[in-house]
Amino acid sequence: MKKESTHPPIISWEGQAVGLLDQTLLPHEEKFILCDTLPALWEAIKSLRVRGAPAIGVSAAYGVVLAAELCRTMDPDVFAREVHEGIDYLATSRPTAVNLFWALERMRGCLDSMAGSGVAQQKAHLLEEARRIEAENNQVCETLSEAGANLLKDGFRVITHCNAGGLACGNFYGTALGVILKASEQGKRISVYADETRPLLQGSRLTAYELHKAGVPVTLLCDNMAGHVMRTIGVDAVIFGADRIAANGDTANKIGSYSLSVLAREHGVPVYVAAPLSTVDFTLSSGELIPIEVRNSAEVAGFAGIRTAPEGVEVYNPAFDVTPARYITAIITEAGVLYPPFEKSLGRLAPGYSTVS
Ligand code: MRU
């Protein structure tokens, strides 16, 4: 049976502001905030009020609509220059999730295609494009979830890392959690181990919240328990999302995904990455080239404003790691389930690919 959406709205265009469900407050408070300036939206992306690669992309697309609405000029050239500046500014918010740049570049292309038109017409066109990006993203998430669900058999015990659910995508299904939701809609009994995902606990705060609400059995684990669970209880699949996938299949995702994949290999557990094609960066030949966000030391040295580490101690806080393609069993996309060698299976889906040589 199809699961009903239990989410409050996650991202919406509110006329003069981008509306967001503040994910830093979940699961205790479902608060919708309005970002009516570009710095407010930039801060919301930076501080993970909106997070997850596809959701960052959709909110940034509406951010461009906001940049346009905030322009007071009626001169099309001045307008275009100011919106371009807004796009460049939003692009500085977070470096790893390629969906941010993908969505901003689509909005830039839309703006450029309207050069010479009146300001009101350009604003309307930008809003249409942002709405199209959102609608396509929703469809793509559902399609890939359906494609991946066939990989999960009745009774499967699955480990997931971070949050690749609806919250991360601005819709109901999401990606990795969408695969799980679709499999359970098909009547399969799927149970999930959710890594808590230090330092910011997306697994505990968000994945457990989403699966619990959807009625999917979920058991919370500290990140360092996965190996023990694989060895003593048994796990049938690892599934997580992606922030950026290189052309060879190397995948950047939340820090800890790499260690989980290495453990899975040791225990003969398949590793599935679920992501839309907008997360594939065909310009990068390998994961070595993916920029990894290094975040504030306070996130590791304490939690919720309470310091837990000694004052003055050195902290390293990379937010993502790269799982080499050799650890990945398959990549689940809206174009179907792709298998190694990913250079070929992904390559065939690259923009401009042609079978005619
Ligand atoms: O730092 P975050 O919370 O934005 O990191 C999110 C992740 O790593 C997700 O797993 C990834 O974006 C996939 S979301 C469908």
Side-chain angles (χ1 to χ4, degrees):
M1 204 178 76
K2 196 168 164 80
K3 302 257 177 218
E4 284 306 313
S5 174
T6 45
H7 273 310
I10 299 168
I11 303 166
S12 72
W13 174 244
E14 298 288 325
Q16 294 292 320
V18 181
L20 299 172
L21 177 67
D22 186 344
Q23 298 189 34
T24 62
L25 303 176
L26 291 173
H28 303 299
E29 197 182 342
E30 291 178 351
K31 183 176 173 193
F32 203 66
I33 55 168
L34 294 181
C35 301
D36 57 4
T37 65
L38 286 196
L41 180 61
W42 188 97
E43 188 280 335
I45 295 172
K46 184 75 185 171
S47 64
L48 277 54
R49 297 184 200 286
V50 59
R51 35 102 5 235
I56 293 171
V58 171
S59 53
Y62 284 121
V64 178
V65 177
L66 176 63
E69 281 303 322
L70 292 171
C71 288
R72 291 286 158 254
T73 181
M74 292 312 284
D75 178 331
D77 293 332
V78 177
F79 173 79
R81 197 182 60 238
E82 289 183 8
V83 178
H84 273 292
E85 283 168 8
I87 292 173
D88 294 342
Y89 171 65
L90 289 173
T92 63
S93 53
R94 292 189 76 189
T96 304
V98 77
N99 305 60
L100 170 67
F101 309 102
W102 175 88
L104 289 175
E105 287 316 308
R106 232 178 104 163
M107 294 301 285
R108 196 193 293 281
C110 173
L111 179 66
D112 291 346
S113 75
M114 291 295 287
S117 310
V119 167
Q121 215 182 339
Q122 294 199 46
K123 285 183 180 177
H125 212 63
L126 287 170
L127 178 57
E128 271 170 36
E129 183 70 349
R131 290 207 194 285
R132 205 172 296 125
I133 287 174
E134 182 182 15
E136 284 173 16
N137 173 58
N138 295 346
Q139 185 55 57
V140 156
C141 286
E142 187 160 358
T143 306
L144 75 85
S145 299
E146 195 125 16
N150 298 326
L151 298 167
L152 305 185
K153 308 262 177 294
D154 186 30
F156 259 31
R157 297 152 301 181
V158 178
I159 292 195
T160 191
H161 191 70
C162 193
N163 172 265
L167 289 167
C169 301
N171 51 40
F172 175 63
Y173 283 100
T175 55
L177 294 196
V179 171
I180 291 165
L181 291 175
K182 281 283 180 190
S184 39
E185 281 177 12
Q186 291 168 355
K188 297 172 191 164
R189 287 157 302 169
I190 308 294
S191 54
V192 180
Y193 290 106
D195 278 352
E196 69 170 350
T197 317
R198 273 287 288 157
L200 295 178
L201 306 191
Q202 288 92 331
S204 159
R205 294 186 306 103
L206 308 177
T207 296
Y209 160 86
E210 287 196 87
L211 290 175
H212 195 61
K213 266 190 155 190
V216 175
V218 55
T219 304
L220 191 59
L221 298 177
C222 296
D223 300 347
N224 49 8
M225 296 172 183
H228 179 71
V229 171
M230 286 181 190
R231 200 173 64 77
T232 57
I233 300 175
V235 167
D236 302 293
V238 165
I239 180 161
F240 52 75
D243 285 82
R244 195 184 296 222
I245 301 174
N248 68 348
D250 292 352
T251 293
N253 191 53
K254 178 56 56 191
I255 190 77
S257 304
Y258 169 48
S259 343
L260 186 63
S261 305
V262 174
L263 278 172
R265 170 61 54 85
E266 170 68 16
H267 293 279
V269 177
V271 173
Y272 299 119
V273 171
L277 289 170
S278 54
T279 303
V280 183
D281 186 344
F282 289 101
T283 69
L284 301 185
S285 56
S286 93
E288 300 294 315
L289 301 167
I290 298 176
I292 298 295
E293 178 181 15
V294 177
R295 292 182 63 87
N296 192 322
S297 62
E299 292 176 353
V300 171
F303 188 72
I306 299 169
R307 179 126 190 145
T308 48
E311 289 295 341
V313 75
E314 280 295 318
V315 170
Y316 178 46
N317 184 15
F320 301 96
D321 57 26
V322 174
T323 300
R326 66 179 180 280
Y327 291 103
I328 298 170
T329 311
I331 300 177
I332 302 161
T333 73
E334 67 271 31
V337 179
L338 309 179
Y339 291 93
F342 295 117
E343 283 91 347
K344 280 200 176 152
S345 52
L346 278 174
R348 276 187 217 106
L349 301 168
Y353 174 82
S354 159
T355 47
V356 184
S357 54

